Amino acid sequence: MKAVLVRLCAGAALGLLVLSGGQAGVSAQDNTAAAQAPKPVNPAVAEKLVKYVIIAVDQGNATGNYSVLRELGTARFQAVTSSARLSDAFANLRKIKIDMSALMMLKPVFSKPPAIENGQLKIAGYFATTPIRIRFTMSFAQQNGQPRIASLNIVPVKATAAAGGDALGAAGKSDSQ
């Protein structure tokens, strides 16, 4: 029941901007202002989506098959991101043998509050692990009533350098934008 409620909340959160921008009688100026003002999202919904993606990446790393991760994306994400490209993007995570399933036990630290901007849910942050932190940026868009990955970047960084951004390598960048 709780999982269904979280899924409904995620769908409703992403649908808010679409509904508010599509109402009759809203001027173009109002739409521009609404598109520029980020709409906050419940952090629990954002956490669920982050973990949803992290586990899909971990399964892809374990099997070498990123087709499920790719299929979780929007049509545009799928059009520009092949399973082979995802495999290349996460090669560094596989190389340093990070068990990302362990992240399911931790709460992500959001670098800024998750919010809907220009019709997409934007989430950025990291998992506070040592000696390596996992930094992420993700965006989601509604497609067929479900939040789908629009862009994805997951990078391992040294915990002491996490604030400064010294990446261990370009891992996990797959962005449809």
Side-chain angles (χ1 to χ4, degrees):
M1 178 74 170
K2 187 175 181 180
V4 171
L5 181 60
V6 171
R7 177 177 276 174
L8 289 173
C9 289
L14 287 172
L16 285 176
L17 187 58
V18 173
L19 291 175
S20 67
Q23 294 175 349
V26 177
S27 71
Q29 184 177 13
D30 292 336
N31 281 340
T32 302
Q36 292 174 352
K39 301 210 184 268
V41 173
N42 182 334
V45 171
E47 178 181 349
K48 179 229 178 220
L49 290 171
V50 167
K51 289 182 176 182
Y52 178 70
V53 171
I54 292 289
I55 203 66
V57 170
D58 187 60
Q59 290 171 346
N61 287 346
T63 64
N65 183 346
Y66 294 88
S67 60
V68 171
L69 177 62
R70 182 179 172 274
E71 293 300 315
L72 294 174
T74 62
R76 182 171 180 218
F77 180 87
Q78 292 175 24
V80 299
T81 309
S82 67
S83 294
R85 182 175 174 199
L86 289 168
S87 179
D88 290 345
F90 297 115
N92 195 36
L93 286 173
R94 287 191 312 276
K95 180 181 171 186
I96 59 178
K97 300 181 190 286
I98 293 179
D99 177 8
M100 293 180 44
S101 68
L103 300 177
M104 298 305 101
M105 307 303 284
L106 304 173
K107 284 187 133 339
V109 177
F110 297 119
S111 55
K112 64 180 186 174
I116 298 172
E117 299 176 25
N118 300 319
Q120 291 189 355
L121 172 57
K122 308 283 186 172
I123 307 172
Y126 62 92
F127 286 92
T129 54
T130 57
I132 296 172
R133 287 188 178 172
I134 301 299
R135 180 174 295 155
F136 58 84
T137 57
M138 304 175 187
S139 66
F140 297 85
Q142 277 285 48
Q143 184 175 303
N144 299 323
Q146 296 293 319
R148 298 296 201 138
I149 301 166
S151 66
L152 175 60
N153 187 13
I154 299 174
V155 181
V157 296
K158 293 178 184 176
T160 56
D166 292 338
L168 296 176
K173 181 153 175 75
S174 180
D175 192 348
S176 65
Q177 297 177 3

